[in-house]
Amino acid sequence: TMSLREHALSLFRSAVGTVRPAPMLKRAVKLQGDDGCPQLLVKGQAFPLKRDLYLVGFGKAVLGMAAAAEEILGDHLTRGIISVPLGIQESLRRAGMQEMLLKPHSKIQVIEGAKNNLPDAEALKGAVAIQELAEGLTADDLLLVLISGRGGSALLPAPIPPILLEEKEKLTKMLASRGAAIQELNIVRKTLSVLKGGGLAQLAHPARVVSLILSDVIGDPLDIIASGPTAANSHSVQDCLQILTKYNLLHNLPKSVETVLSSSPTKPTGPENYSHVSNIILGSNTLALEEAKRQAESLGYAALVLSAAIHGEVGRVATLYCQLIQLVCLGFASLQEGLLSDELRGNLLQLAAELQIPGLGLGEFLQALRGLGSDRPVCILAGGETTVQLQGTGKGGRNQELALRVGLGLHRAQATGASSPQGECEILFFSGGTDGQDGPTEAAGAFCSPALVAEALREGLDVEAFLRNNDSYTFFSQFQGGHHLLVTGLTGTNVMDIQAILIRAT
């Protein structure tokens, strides 16, 4: 029989495979009709190609999306411009991922920029080229926009004149240093930007705009992914001013920013109507989890998806998973009714309420769990993005740290005898980043189990010390030759992280 680790790996691979740019685009986008009136079909919606078809794009996964799009569109594509992270073509070439690269003589111009995911002169050059292309379109043209969340915002910087890129950057840094949240930073950026917050869609008017989006944000909010260049902006200049006031920056602004903010509300913005725009999410964490669930079922598991919106500090999320696993093990031991089970259920519901994970119907989920019985192995899937409060100087990433914390938590519960039924179960937990990267390491994540932690402790490794130093990568790479690290290499896509709990009776 396959090991739980092999099963987990195959779940992860199928989940990532379904949101890889090429298969994702080929499933969703077709060209049909004769040369008389060809149509672009996206997930069943038809867009007639009356005159010219143009393509623009920005973000980490956009190169692969553009390569697939050009293959599908063929001669119908007039020209395209994409803004992608610095060095990405070379990285993909080195990784042997030719299918993610444009063919020689492509009609799509590639501009690389945003070193270290910060807007720079090259990214600005890309943004200006995309802006000029959009402004020249007519009512009979169609603009296909490819957006991938990660890095999409930094690759499309075009401050409203007379603001200079350096001034906008300086303001963003000042806000960040005073503790502004990412949402607040994005609201300020959008307000001072030509293309964000629906700006690109408005400049392309009256052309038809079709956006194909790969989401890396919990809940897939269109106006947040890559700062929403083709989505109606849900924030006003007023919101921006409120944020600047909150962080005491209103009287500390560059002259150019003052000029733009004072003239903003009064200048007519043209047709603030988005009837010419269609925003279509092609890939998301939810889609990846659905594919992983299908794969788990084909391997014989009873599979449930917990949530695609897991977020919060890794220690607390690890506790949530530990309690959930203990509850499943009680089920396997036919001890679902009882004090321990009631206590676990109560703790779980309280923790879930504190974490405020959207759409986490834990009550119904626990009900579904009860109905599974103990004759089949169980697979619980989840996704999202946790956060790590860095206290140490070690090497690791949120996925490796989460896996190690879950393993340690389960080992402790077993050691204190708080949940003896765990002994009846073989348990594996894994967490991995769908982009193939977890923190500053070559790993995408890690596999962990209480048995693995017990063995590490027997070998004299101080698991808690590794965690205190945020050094999960060093732990996994030292222990058993790094066998429990998830190493996939770059995947060319990104829909946040995927977690799986696999449990079978021993």
Side-chain angles (χ1 to χ4, degrees), residues 31-39 49 76:
L31 252 184
Q32 75 162 33
D34 48 37
D35 292 340
C37 184
Q39 284 185 324
L49 299 182
H76 289 286

Side-chain angles (χ1 to χ4, degrees), residues 321-335:
Y321 284 142
C322 286
Q323 291 174 346
L324 200 52
I325 290 165
Q326 286 168 268
L327 210 50
V328 177
C329 288
L330 285 173
F332 270 102
S334 309
L335 295 171

